[in-house]
Amino acid sequence: MPFLAPSILSADLVRLVEQIEIVEKNGADLIHVDVMDGHFVPNMTFGPAIVEALKKISKLPIDVHLMVSNPMQFVEWFAASGANYLTIHQEAYWHLDRAVNRIKALGCKAGISVNPATPVSAIRHLLNDLDLVLVMTVNPGFGGQKFIPYTLEKIRELDELRSRLQANFLIEVDGGIDELTAKSVLEAGADILVAGSAIFEKNSIAEAAHKLKSIILARGKEV
Ligand code: DX5
Ligand code: ZN
């Protein structure tokens, strides 16, 4: 069954406890944490301390997306802070097998993310070892950007490869997901939909999360 992962990048940090509770009650399955280092992407955000805090206020799995140039410097810290999923970028590290093995050895589910212009073939040989593939549907760095339509083809390609290889990874999509684009990515084969501004920047966070979750539960069909 597909899942909803609200991204706290767009949350109001002053009201984080309350906002997490609202999304939990309205269909969130995971909490997505965007870690940015000001180098791999032109923005800076959270460190392991926020994951530790989230673990105290929520029982949901924490899905950490590392948008950093030197991911292996940080995987231990994030694993120790309680991250359940740990995803690094294909573009950020040469030795991806080493990274995947290390993340799993630390007790986390291992994910690799690909930027919009990175082809699926760049991670083709890793697919049987991955728990998750994160397809960036915008160029990473900021919330509230417009969904890039050509990424749909990559989601379809991954879904086909998954059947062909009898692999078990989840397909996560991140960037520009709203009520409209949610339907397209679900039809293409996505399993986890990250949404930041489409939830936290709406007047009613509860309604926005609930509506997205109902689209997810209907798997892209009209609700
Ligand atoms: C973008 C981040 C996303 C971001 C998505 O670099 O990885 O997780 O929070 O934000 P929206 O849903 O607003 O596009
Ligand atoms: Zn993200």
Side-chain angles (χ1 to χ4, degrees), residues 132-153:
L132 180 145
V133 175
L134 198 179
V135 177
M136 285 309 303
T137 43
V138 299
N139 285 286
F142 302 95
Q145 302 182 83
K146 203 170 166 306
F147 180 84
I148 299 175
Y150 71 69
T151 58
L152 284 173
E153 196 183 313

Side-chain angles (χ1 to χ4, degrees), residues 42-184:
N43 195 0
M44 290 183 89
T45 55
F46 312 114
I50 193 102
V51 177
E52 259 179 60
L54 286 167
K55 291 302 277 188
K56 289 181 192 151
I57 60 176
S58 173
K59 289 204 163 48
L60 293 179
I62 309 295
D63 174 32
V64 174
H65 177 194
L66 291 179
M67 286 163 277
V68 302
S69 293
N70 189 2
M72 299 316 283
Q73 187 184 336
F74 304 111
V75 290
E76 264 176 54
W77 294 354
F78 279 98
S81 72
N84 300 87
Y85 283 84
L86 209 41
T87 296
I88 72 163
H89 266 262
Q90 185 277 337
E91 303 83 3
Y93 194 61
W94 295 110
H95 312 296
L96 291 173
D97 283 285
R98 179 180 294 160
V100 169
N101 291 335
R102 182 80 188 119
I103 290 170
K104 287 184 177 174
L106 290 167
C108 300
K109 302 267 190 197
I112 301 286
S113 180
V114 283
N115 280 334
T118 301
V120 167
S121 59
I123 54 164
R124 155 73 183 79
H125 296 286
L126 286 163
L127 291 177
N128 280 102
D129 295 321
L130 295 178
D131 296 304
L132 180 145
V133 175
L134 198 179
V135 177
M136 285 309 303
T137 43
V138 299
N139 285 286
F142 302 95
Q145 302 182 83
K146 203 170 166 306
F147 180 84
I148 299 175
Y150 71 69
T151 58
L152 284 173
E153 196 183 313
K154 291 167 63 179
I155 302 166
R156 283 188 211 108
E157 192 181 342
L158 275 166
D159 191 33
E160 279 166 25
L161 273 170
R162 175 164 57 182
S163 313
R164 184 138 50 87
L165 301 170
Q166 297 183 318
N168 294 314
F169 60 87
L170 293 166
I171 303 174
E172 181 172 39
V173 292
D174 187 2
I177 302 299
D178 57 20
E179 289 176 20
L180 211 66
T181 55
K183 293 179 185 167
S184 318

